[in-house]
Amino acid sequence: MDYAALFAATPSPYLVLGPDLVIVEVNQAYLDATGRTREDLIGEYVFDAFPDNPADPEADGVRNLSASLHRVLTTREPDPMALQKYDIPIMGRPGVFEERWWSPINTPILAPDGTVVWIIHRVEDVTAFVQARTAGARPPTGQLTEREALEAELYARARELQRLNEELRQAHSRERQVAVTLQEGMLQSPDLARHQNVAVRYLPAAGSLNVCGDWYDVADLTDGRFSVAVGDVVGHGLEAAAVMGMLRSALSAAIRALERPAQALEVLGLYARSVEGALNTTVVKALVDPTSCLIIYSNAGHPPPVLVHTDGICELLDQATDPPLGVRALHVPRPQATAVYSPGDALVLYTDGLIERRDEDIDTGLARLTDALSQSSQLSPERMADSLLARLGLAGGGRDDIALVIVRL
């Protein structure tokens, strides 16, 4: 099939833009609709070719189209626009614009690596329809026909939908910025900067606000010892993130005062009972003692950490597992266990989003995790984290939130 001829002959107007919004191709229907030639448009920045009408103080065509095109570049998804008034310059008459109304949709063309290589800008010229409606044309009886009334109603609803969509986008953008700032503030760990042997990753669930209830923490203790932790609050979004921030801070304070993971989790469990939304939170805490090459850990309903030996053998640290926070009605001391490591081993802590899949037993996910860790046991913590996420198909995030900590011991 001759796709070039097919594109040239398509009856709807099409413009093809590069990621820099420079026009790279145009079909005949678009040239007919705008009164332009290929020489007028090819190689031109789209908003140089079609600027706003300076005589119209309410002109918003450039702003609205630019926002849509940038959404396409960011989301890599088609972006339909509501009816848009976008006047165009009349050729041969400098400074003179013609009133035009369009129904546009912008669609990305993706490269094999998922990046946007082109954007197809398709429009339908609805100027005649809009002008007929706004002119208030009436049949001889002075009443709108049923069809005209329906068209007028659809037009009014389309304009209102455009206004509401823009308000929603602005509100979502503000909420997302607040959420990102909140999450970054709550996940700050000053002690982490002193540990070049520790890599952390935080991936919110795909499609979320970029905030979640998963967390990680690193805390320096006395005599060269330090603790690491990961936790998971039930739920997603700002509410879960707020609960996460309170629990994370409480646990970080408890481990500094008590220095025993089991006691720190006992204190956290008591505190969780007074925090709405904190029940059933899972968390695992591990204390690393480089002098004695010991890991002391306690687990409140969380997936077990993995000790990855230099020969690739993986050991699940599952000897101190207890129910999640707040599950027991009465206070019961939490268990604690120890594991011996050799210099060069790696300790891996993570949340369940790393291993759990729908309709799959958790043992299958753990086996997949240990297999991936065995193949990257010799890598640095940063490369090991990236390799692990890639091998598990989670480099871009997954269905659930993920927190990951890898310590080269």
Side-chain angles (χ1 to χ4, degrees), residues 295-369:
I295 299 170
I296 307 169
Y297 65 96
S298 186
N299 190 331
H302 205 78
V306 182
L307 179 59
V308 186
H309 298 285
T310 54
D311 58 4
I313 295 176
C314 293
E315 177 184 350
L316 296 180
L317 304 187
D318 56 3
Q319 299 303 303
T321 301
D322 216 31
L325 302 182
V327 171
R328 291 194 178 102
L330 300 176
H331 174 70
V332 176
R334 291 193 176 269
Q336 183 170 282
T338 60
V340 178
Y341 70 86
S342 300
D345 291 348
L347 176 64
V348 181
L349 292 81
Y350 54 94
T351 53
D352 57 9
L354 188 71
I355 60 170
E356 289 187 352
R357 304 292 184 270
R358 289 182 180 178
D359 303 320
E360 183 180 270
D361 188 86
I362 191 172
D363 289 337
T364 303
L366 286 172
R368 183 169 50 242
L369 170 65

Side-chain angles (χ1 to χ4, degrees), residues 40 167 209 339:
D40 294 330
E167 290 180 358
L209 274 177

Side-chain angles (χ1 to χ4, degrees), residues 7 28 35 80 82 138 142 156 158 173-174 182 200-201 234 264 288 307 319 324 348 363 373 375 379 394 402 407:
F7 174 78
Q28 188 59 45
R138 296 290 189 276
S173 178
R174 290 192 296 269
L182 173 66
V200 297
R201 294 291 185 272
V234 176
V288 178
L307 179 59
Q319 299 303 303
V348 181
D363 289 337
L373 288 171
Q375 298 180 53
L379 300 178
L394 297 169
I402 298 171
V407 183

